[in-house]
Structures are given as C-alpha cells and as structure tokens.
Amino acid sequence: MQPRSPLPLLPLPPADFGYSEAHAQIQASARRWLAEHASAAELRRLETDPVGYAPSTLPALAELGWLELGCPADGAMDHLSVALLAEEQGRRLLPSPWASTIVAAALLAQAGTPEQRERWLPPLVAGQATLSVAFQEPRGVWHPEQLRSRAVRQGDGWQLTGSKLAVAWGQRADALLLPTRSAEGLELFVVERGALEVVAEATIDSTRRSARLGFTGLELTERERLEPSAAGAALGGALRLARLLLAAELVGVSEAVLALTRDYACLREQFGKPIGAFQAVKHPLVDVLTELELSRSLVLSAALACGGPDEAGADTLVAMARWHSAEGALRAVQHGVQLHGGYGFTKDCDVHFYFKRALASRGLLGTNVELGAELARRLFGGS
Amino acid sequence: MAESDALAEFRRTLRGWLAGNVPPPPPFKLPQTFLEVETEAQFRWLQAWQQRLYDAGYVGFDVPEEYGGRGIDPARQAIVAEELIEARAPFLVNFIALHWAGPTILLFGTEAQKRRLLRPLLRADEIWCQGFSEPGAGSDLASLQARAVQQADGSWRVTGHKVWTTVAHFARWMILLARTEEGVNKYASLSYFLCPMEAPGVSVQPLVKLNGEGGFNQVLFDDAPMPADALLGERGQGWNIAMATLMFERGAAERGGKERAAAFFAQLGALVAVAERTPLGAGTVAEDPVFRQRVAALWVEGQAIALSAMRASATALNAERPLALPLMSKLVASEWAQRLAELACEMLGPEAALSLEDPAAPFGGEWPRAFMNSFGMTIGGGTSQILRNILGERVLGLPKSK
Ligand SMILES: Cc1cc2nc3c(=O)[nH]c(=O)nc-3n(C[C@H](O)[C@H](O)[C@H](O)COP(=O)(O)OP(=O)(O)OC[C@H]3O[C@@H](n4cnc5c(N)ncnc54)[C@H](O)[C@@H]3O)c2cc1C
C-alpha cells in the first residue's frame, strides 16, 4: 500500500525455538526444586536477614549444574537454558546471586587471564565464591564508552578512581569486576571486595540486594587486569547476558503476579460473585497474559540469537526483550496490587515482593527511554 | 535455516513469475483489504488477479489436488504468502472463501460438496460471504433469529436478516448460520448452510462504512429456497461448525507465523517511511525524539507479535498454556495495527485530515483511511472485548461474565 523502508533484519528463531527434551527437563527440575526451596515464607524470613539469601542456596544451585552454565567448558553458552532458569527464578523471586555470578563468570571466562580464571572459576562453579560485575555508575551511566571510573597507569601497575552503584549482591561478593576507562580505552579489573569501599544499598527490593562501591587511588597490579584485547567484546557479551537475564526474570515476575491475582479473582467474592466475573477485573488480567506471552517470545528469540553469529541482531533482540518485559512486568504488578484491593496494599499479600522487583529492575542497564532511543537508532540511524 | 533446494527453487520461480505478472495499479483506487471491495471494476480487477495466480499454480496449498488444490504443503503456502507481500501483489479477493469457508468445508463437507465447491472457490470464480451476524445478534451470535425450515422433499426455506455481510454483493455463496430446531437450547438448535445467493427471495443491500467506503451489506432472506445438500454437517451441529470457522477467522488455525512476520515487516516499514518522509520543522518526523520513542515501541511490540505467531507452532514450548497464543493472535495483531495507523496519522499532523480525494494528501490519503478501517479488524470476527472474555475464561479459567 505504501512505499516502505527496509527494516533491520533480525535473527529469526528456528521453528521449534530450539526447545529440546533437555530444555524441558531443566525447566521441570527447576520447577520442582524451586517449589521445594523457594517460598513466600522464606522471602519474609530473609527480609531481615543481613545476607539476604540462604547459605545453602548456592551450593545447591551448583549441584543442580546451574552455575556452570555461565562458563561452559566448551565456551558455548546455552542461552536458552539460562533464560528458562531465570524465568523460573523470577516466578519465585529466589534470592540468590546466581544471575550476577554467571554474568561475571561469562565475563571472566572470555577476558580473564589464565591465572584469574584458575583463581575464580572453580570456586564459583562450586557455589563457594560469588562475583559481580559493576556495570552501573551514578548519573545513569552504564554504557562502556561513557564510564567515568578511571584507570591510570602507575609504573608497573594501575591506579583506579571511581564509583559504582546498584551492583547486584556486591556487599557479599568475594570479588568485583570493575569496568573502567584508561587512556587506552576500556579496562576491566577483578578486585577482591576487601580492597574497596562497599556500602550495602537500602533498596525497596529485599529479594535482590545491591551495593555501592567507591575507590579512590586504588593501587592494583597487572595481575588484576583482564586481557585488554578481549575486554570490549567480553563486556558487551556480559551486558547482553545481564539484560537477557533481567528480561527473563521479569517474565517470571509477570507470570507469578498473574497466577496470584487470577487465583484471588476466583476466590474473592463481592456483590455475590467472584470478582473475576467482572470484566473490569478480567480484562486487565488478560492484558497481563498477552503482554507476558509477547515478552516471552522476545526473550526466547533473544536467547537463541545470543548464541548466533549476528551480534548486532542479538543486541537488538535483547534490548527489545528487556524493554517489553520491563513494561509488561510493571503493568502486571500494578494490576496485581490494584485487583487485590486493600489486601493488596498490605505486606500480607505476596504481590508486594514482585512489585518491588519490577520497579527495581526497570532502570537497570538502561531505562526504557534509553532502550527506545537505542532501538530508534537502529531503525532510523542518527542520534 | 537453509531452505531445501526444491523449496528455494520454488521460491525463485515464483519470484520470477511475480516480477512478470503482478499487474500495474489500475486507473481507479483499489480497496486496502478484502473488506472494502465496493465497485464492480475493483472486483473484476481483483478477481482476474486471483484467477491468474490460481492458473499459474500458486493458490490452494492447503487443499488436496482432487478438489482443485495443490495438495497440502504448508512450506510452499508460506513461501507464496511471503512472496506476495514482498512483491506487493494485490490481495486475494476471495478471502473469506480461502481462509474461513474453504477450510470449514474441507473439515465438515461431504465428498460431493468438496468436489463441487472448492475449485471455483480457489480460483475466485465463485465468491463466498459469511452470514452469521444479525441486527440483534453480533457478539451474542447464538441468539440469532434467521430460521430455516426443511420441506417435505428435503430442501430448505430460509427467512431472516443478516447484516455487516462483507462482499455479499459479489457472492455466489454464503456460509449461513440459521435456526432449524425447536425445543432445544440456543446452541443445539442451529444449523450451518452453504447457501446459494442467486435464489429468489435473497436480496442484498449495501451499507456505507464510517469512512464512506462500501464493501459490506445487509442480506434479507424472504422464504428463500435452498437445496437439501446446502446443509453442512448435521442438523443441530451448526454452532460447533461455526466455532471452527471462527477459529480460522481469528487466525487460531496454524496459519503461518512467517506470513504474519512478513505482514508485520510491511506495515512497520510503511510507518518508518512516513516518519522519514514527513517534514517536521527543519527536519523530518524521524528525527523527533518523541516520535522515535513511539515508533521504537511499535517495533518492539510488532516484533513480539510476529515472533509469537511463529512460536504458536512450537507446541512443546507452549505446553503450559497451549491455547493462549492461538486465541490472542487476532486481538493483539488488530490492536497493534490500529495503534500503528493512529501513529502514522499523528505524524502527518493537520494533513491527516486530507482524504483520498485530495490530490495533495500525503501517501494518497491512505493513513486516515487505514486508521478508520482498522476498527473493522477490532470489531469484526469477535470484538476485542469478546476475545478478552474468551481468553479470561478459557485460558485463565476466570468465572464467566454473565
Ligand atoms: C468490517 C466488518 C466486517 C464484518 N463482516 C462480517 C461478515 O462478513 N459476516 C458476518 O456475519 N459478520 C460480519 N461482521 C459483523 C461482526 O462479526 C460483528 O460486528 C461483531 O461480532 C460485533 O457484533 P455487533 O456489531 O452486534 O456488536 P455488539 O455485539 O452489539 O457489541 C457492541 C459493543 O459491546 C461490546 N460487547 C458486547 N457484548 C459484550 C460482552 N459480553 N462483554 C463485553 N463487551 C461486550 C462489544 O465488544 C462492542 O464493543 C463484520 C463487522 C465488521 C466491523
């Protein structure tokens, strides 16, 4: 009907979305394990816990094989499995540094020196150490080229100055991965937590803790520096993975809120019938359903593209997945609170956990406005 | 995914054929979809195109050869759909027949019905319309009043009033839902007919759409005769058969995700073209940060819809909720297309008010026309509200809204 402009071609998933029997099993076993080990009661118990997750969690996840997914021996990550697991954990809000640790593992596996990999990956895979990548800086900075943390050569070593925030589980991580910029470009360092000024952030979301980091004139040696030649690609890959995990988790958040609210709408009666019979209740729940199914298609396609050859295409799909699932989850939790009425406004109702996670995730690694601008650049070019 | 050599060859041949056979635009304005075919000239031109495509062997990959089809071949069917969009070929005018009536006849028809009806349907020699809705029975379809009474010789006589009947003014046949039984509930008393439109007692009166276009009608039946073999399936089975038709109509039947994806690309590409070619201040709409955000949002949502149409056939992945994707596809796609047309109009600013008749109208005045026509898709075939009821009740298991 109209003259049309060419669109960027994005990678398409195979007809079966690469979903194999093995994936079905991972999903089923994750569901079983989570049903047993992750509950709202546990979330309530952990709210006041200084650590924020059970000490038994990481070794258990190691046992399940979830941690090694971040740094597979052959280097080929199964992004689909990772995304499926992230969604399942999002449904239960399992508090654990799993996601942040596998992102760090992927980064270290790709750009770490042999010595660094040897030092950190085995305990990490065993669930005995956690790492976290400090992507985010003040003033909304996360883009590798805009980082304000500086690394300056000092004789044989380096001096680092800068600050980070919203570092997932940073207050407990054994080591932090610090992206910085030097005169030569991007520099990554792996630093033990004790060397940094670490302050636990007091956030609304007790199920995923985070920290602020500060470092002024921090002296480091070459041994803490990751391979500079691999740094850019590795950090790009880690960002992609972190965004994918966030997106998948947020689909899980929407699923959980939908299930809670749907059940409540069947039980709670007003005016002599279950409130779910009112279309003003029913239709918003359907909108939550359709949005999350649409998000899921983007998340799965993005996961499949992450393993493929078209990196720009994968970046675009991941940005779309992250945009869409953040949008959907925030709407899901709002309906979740509203449709539970006065009960939804209390901490007795589980929805508040999800509400907080959706809100706290929304601004991470790019707001939706930034993602929108990023996507528009792919469509139209320009700034 | 590499296409097999045979399929790649098929695609190449088709592409070549389309390059030589897609007709240049006619001297008159064409309708945007099958819903708006109004004049005899438009109809003849579109019919000739479908006939040519059929004769070249590219129609009917979902119909066995003995009934005039090309044999069941979803891969080739998808390729044809994609390439037609790619080549910007005209749409196929016998849409209701190809996508709703035909598949229903294939499922429920007798051998004789299939042999008689399917070939001319595929070739657009005989056009089909759908007589379900009535003035008093739209969303609540089962309350319809048209009555068909069986005669001693087994033939039928029908009396009633159908409305919003797309393309009835060119139709040779109607899929007709009418009440045939007494003393049973409103669902069990319906029967499904393949009704000839040329019978005495059938009159077709055009209706004018909100944008001034025609394309649909009301159809009055005054004791109109139908032969005995007009009945499809069994007496009293009409509701179930109608539900099958509606599943086809709402895109629930596995009709190509790739086709949906190709349509999405065409629509979004057209929107991008509007942004890039519409001046705004010193630049274009495509440089405006707010419009860029809104286009980006539609891109994401459209991509999600296209990928979901593909995911609908990855059944192992959808075991938790198998009906969700099929039942939501028309709802989300029609609402998305509506937002897209709305945004295009917004981009055009005051010139969105210019109609098809104004030679200065940007993009030929197609966008306000498209926006108005988009409501046909959010109302026809089950309104968005009704689809939300269905999803809420069938997929989420919420209590019925009475
Ligand atoms: C372009 C176009 C082409 C069409 N072509 C055909 C055709 O070829 N053949 C044919 O048979 N029909 C056709 N139709 C008719 C179409 O199927 C009906 O218009 C549709 O089913 C709605 O019925 P209605 O118009 O009676 O609206 P109503 O049912 O009166 O609905 C009016 C409004 O009330 C809402 N509503 C109704 N019931 C409920 C409920 N239970 N819950 C919530 N909201 C409700 C509706 O969503 C709508 O917004 C066509 C319609 C259009 C627009």
Side-chain angles (χ1 to χ4, degrees), chain B residues 75-308:
Chain B
R76 282 184 170 72
Q77 189 180 24
I79 291 175
V80 173
E82 287 159 41
E83 293 298 323
L84 286 177
I85 291 171
E86 194 55 39
R88 287 188 228 157
F91 60 83
L92 298 184
V93 69
N94 213 9
F95 190 95
I96 293 176
L98 289 172
H99 299 297
W100 314 340
T104 309
I105 294 169
L106 207 52
L107 265 183
F108 295 96
T110 62
E111 187 62 22
Q113 285 168 329
K114 290 188 267 190
R115 286 197 184 275
R116 163 66 187 84
L117 298 170
L118 290 174
R119 180 188 302 272
L121 171 162
L122 293 171
R123 198 172 177 271
D125 294 337
E126 294 180 346
I127 303 300
W128 285 74
C129 65
Q130 178 190 36
F132 286 13
S133 306
E134 299 182 2
S139 299
D140 184 11
L141 181 60
S143 69
L144 62 84
Q145 298 294 321
R147 296 203 64 83
V149 179
Q150 194 156 30
Q151 311 298 299
D153 64 356
S155 72
W156 299 83
R157 289 203 168 247
V158 56
T159 297
H161 184 177
K162 295 291 175 181
V163 74
W164 305 303
T165 325
T166 300
V167 93
H169 48 313
F170 298 118
R172 166 77 175 76
W173 299 97
M174 172 188 275
I175 44 176
L176 167 71
L177 207 51
R179 202 163 298 285
T180 54
E181 313 304 312
E182 304 281 354
V184 282
N185 76 39
K186 65 178 180 178
Y187 302 102
S189 54
L190 296 172
S191 297
Y192 196 117
F193 294 95
L194 310 174
C195 170
M197 295 287 284
E198 288 158 357
V202 181
S203 63
V204 177
Q205 300 164 0
L207 294 172
V208 182
K209 294 181 172 168
L210 85 165
N211 61 358
E213 285 186 275
F216 64 4
N217 310 273
Q218 44 184 343
V219 182
L220 300 165
F221 294 89
D222 181 11
D223 209 28
M226 296 188 290
D229 66 1
L231 182 70
L232 184 68
E234 307 287 326
R235 268 179 88 137
Q237 204 194 351
W239 183 253
N240 293 337
I241 303 179
M243 286 305 103
T245 303
L246 286 179
M247 285 294 266
F248 291 123
E249 181 167 352
R250 293 166 188 167
E254 253 171 58
R255 190 144 49 81
K258 280 197 164 175
E259 192 177 332
R260 183 57 58 68
F264 147 73
F265 271 112
Q267 280 173 285
L268 196 80
L271 181 73
V272 169
V274 175
E276 286 173 339
R277 293 170 206 184
T278 302
L280 182 69
T284 67
V285 164
E287 292 156 51
D288 178 83
V290 176
F291 274 117
R292 286 167 77 96
Q293 290 282 335
R294 290 180 66 184
V295 175
L298 275 169
W299 186 24
V300 177
E301 289 156 359
Q303 186 76 28
I305 291 170
L307 289 168
S308 296

Side-chain angles (χ1 to χ4, degrees), chain A residues 1-5 7-8 10 12-17 19 31 91 255 258 262 265-266 274 276-277 279 282-283 285-287 289-290 292-294 296-298 300-301 316-317 320 323-324 368-369 372-373 375-383, chain B residues 1 32 85-86 88 265-266 268-270 272-273 275-277 286 292-293 295-297 299-301 303-305 307-308 310-311 313-314 316-317 320-321 324-325 328 331-332 363 366-367 370 385 388-389 391-393 395-401:
Chain A
M1 132 182 120
Q2 311 266 343
R4 55 182 269 217
S5 289
L7 299 180
L10 300 181
L12 286 180
D16 62 357
F17 273 59
Y19 186 76
R31 255 174 225 180
R91 290 190 194 207
E255 277 285 4
L258 177 61
R262 176 249 170 238
C266 291
Q279 293 178 347
K282 179 179 289 176
H283 289 191
L285 287 177
V286 169
D287 291 338
L289 167 74
T290 57
L292 82 84
E293 288 292 356
L294 294 173
R296 175 174 290 127
S297 299
L298 287 170
L300 298 174
S301 307
T316 302
L317 278 174
M320 287 180 157
W323 185 98
H324 199 276
N368 271 12
V369 172
L375 291 166
R377 271 195 298 281
R378 279 224 73 191
L379 266 185
F380 296 115
S383 56
Chain B
M1 247 185 330
Q32 288 175 322
I85 291 171
E86 194 55 39
R88 287 188 228 157
F265 271 112
L268 196 80
V272 169
E276 286 173 339
R277 293 170 206 184
R292 286 167 77 96
Q293 290 282 335
V295 175
W299 186 24
V300 177
E301 289 156 359
Q303 186 76 28
I305 291 170
L307 289 168
S308 296
M310 300 180 68
R311 180 159 72 87
S313 50
L317 194 48
E320 192 178 353
R321 201 182 274 139
L325 291 178
M328 68 187 247
L331 172 67
V332 295
F363 303 95
E366 293 284 354
W367 282 108
Q385 287 75 16
R388 285 194 171 83
N389 284 348
L391 281 156
E393 288 158 24
V395 178
L396 294 179
L398 290 167
K400 272 199 171 308
S401 304

